[in-house]
Amino acid sequence: MSEIRKLPASAGAQWLLDAFTLYRRAPLQLAVLGVIGMLVSSLILVLAQALPSWLGVLLQLVSVAVGPLVFGGMLVAVSEVAQGHRAMPTHLLQPIRDRRVSHLLVPLAIQLIAVIALGTLLYVMMGPDGLTATAEMFRKMQELQQSGATPSNEQTMALMAGVPVVRILLWLLIAFGTFLALSMAMFTQPALVVFDHQSGMHALRMSLQGCIRNFGAMAVFMLLGLIAAMCIYFVMIIVMQLALMAGGAGAAAFVMQLTNTAVIMPLYVGAVYAAWNQMFAHRGRAAPPPVPPSNGPGNIFAA
């Protein structure tokens, strides 16, 4: 069982700092784990292309499942680094040994349901006429762009005459709210599944409740995380340009994928581990380090 702790907004910055600290302790070890996950997923996709159609589709689905499993294994590795131990490739198999696989895959099912529900809602809100008018508007705008002409205000208004703009904006608002809720529900869900052995759905609910209760810390983390990601990607773009000049587009794409798996992913896993460690007070384990106070005025789908 876990209890949600109320944290100050500054905790979000601490999660990011802890992520960099953990990565700095074992950068090569954590990077290797990310690369192993990338190679396994790539190998499955290559095999999928060489097999008959139905077997290929099945293997592609398996490759999608590799991501959550690697994420859970890297959480185990990060926890070992936090305790002063080495991050080993065998840690990637720990979720399988602990029979956590099905629970880690629950968010994939929830995302699929959300996509289907949003698509159905869009169709219901706009109707066949609205969808046809929107598609026609985009077609005509593309033709104007290809011709090099700049549409006047009158032309733009004429193009949008039959488009249900208000309903589109309302749907975008609902889609954004759904994306935000899913992001918070999935944030600490893998850690709750791997370390606290919660069921997949219960972990989603606990993560959502924890993020809502600590929304200030989440907002600070997302803002600072976005800034940090932009800095990392700025450096990555420079390296990609060098790789592009040296080895072409293939080398540049490899550098981008390598950066995502060897740097971005381990850092994000470290931040999730830090957030889980502080956000939830777990019975039977030592309390996490105190968070400095802010300056301001506190079956697998079963619960």
Side-chain angles (χ1 to χ4, degrees):
M1 291 294 292
S2 308
E3 295 177 356
I4 299 171
R5 302 172 69 226
K6 175 63 177 175
L7 304 174
S10 60
Q14 189 63 49
W15 302 341
L16 195 61
L17 290 174
D18 288 349
F20 279 96
T21 299
L22 289 170
Y23 188 79
R24 191 165 58 245
R25 289 184 187 177
L28 183 59
Q29 297 168 29
L30 295 175
V32 166
L33 297 187
V35 171
I36 289 175
M38 177 187 72
L39 292 177
V40 170
S41 182
S42 300
L43 179 60
I44 293 175
L45 289 176
V46 170
L47 289 175
Q49 294 177 353
L51 291 174
S53 58
W54 67 273
L55 281 176
V57 171
L58 183 62
L59 273 183
Q60 287 179 6
L61 292 176
V62 172
S63 71
V64 173
V66 168
L69 298 184
V70 171
F71 196 98
M74 289 193 70
L75 275 169
V76 176
V78 165
S79 71
E80 292 294 321
V81 172
Q83 298 171 49
H85 305 145
R86 288 181 58 84
M88 306 290 292
T90 53
H91 290 144
L92 295 177
L93 300 176
Q94 194 61 44
I96 300 176
R97 290 193 288 263
D98 292 341
R99 299 180 181 179
R100 300 281 87 200
V101 174
S102 57
H103 301 283
L104 287 171
L105 297 182
V106 167
L108 291 179
I110 299 301
Q111 289 180 74
L112 178 61
I113 293 172
V115 169
I116 294 173
L118 286 172
T120 303
L121 179 63
L122 179 63
Y123 181 82
V124 170
M125 291 178 64
M126 296 186 64
D129 294 338
L131 291 173
T132 302
T134 304
E136 184 66 15
M137 179 196 70
F138 282 119
R139 186 186 66 80
K140 291 180 177 179
M141 289 183 68
Q142 187 176 20
E143 289 177 354
L144 285 172
Q145 289 178 349
Q146 290 176 349
S147 66
T150 303
S152 63
N153 292 335
E154 292 77 11
Q155 287 177 312
T156 303
M157 294 302 294
L159 289 174
M160 297 177 62
V163 177
V165 177
V166 175
R167 280 176 281 174
I168 291 176
L169 292 176
L170 179 59
W171 181 85
L172 288 174
L173 183 62
I174 294 173
F176 175 77
T178 303
F179 169 78
L180 183 61
L182 283 175
S183 298
M184 292 191 294
M186 294 167 56
F187 183 52
T188 57
Q189 191 265 3
L192 289 166
V193 165
V194 170
F195 298 122
D196 296 336
H197 286 206
Q198 295 186 4
S199 69
M201 280 300 295
H202 186 250
L204 280 172
R205 288 203 299 270
M206 287 292 293
S207 178
L208 179 59
Q209 292 171 8
C211 290
I212 291 175
R213 181 172 173 79
N214 295 284
F215 190 77
M218 281 297 300
V220 170
F221 169 73
M222 289 188 288
L223 177 61
L224 295 181
L226 179 61
I227 295 173
M230 289 175 63
C231 294
I232 293 173
Y233 277 115
F234 177 76
V235 176
M236 184 190 72
I237 288 173
I238 296 176
V239 177
M240 281 180 60
Q241 290 298 321
L242 295 176
L244 184 63
M245 291 186 292
F254 176 76
V255 167
M256 182 169 121
Q257 193 170 13
L258 187 64
T259 303
N260 285 329
T261 55
V263 180
I264 302 295
M265 184 177 177
L267 285 173
Y268 183 70
V269 172
V272 170
Y273 175 79
W276 164 83
N277 200 33
Q278 291 185 353
M279 195 182 295
F280 299 94
H282 306 267
R283 298 188 182 105
R285 75 177 180 91
V291 181
S294 63
N295 295 327
N299 129 24
I300 61 174
F301 291 96

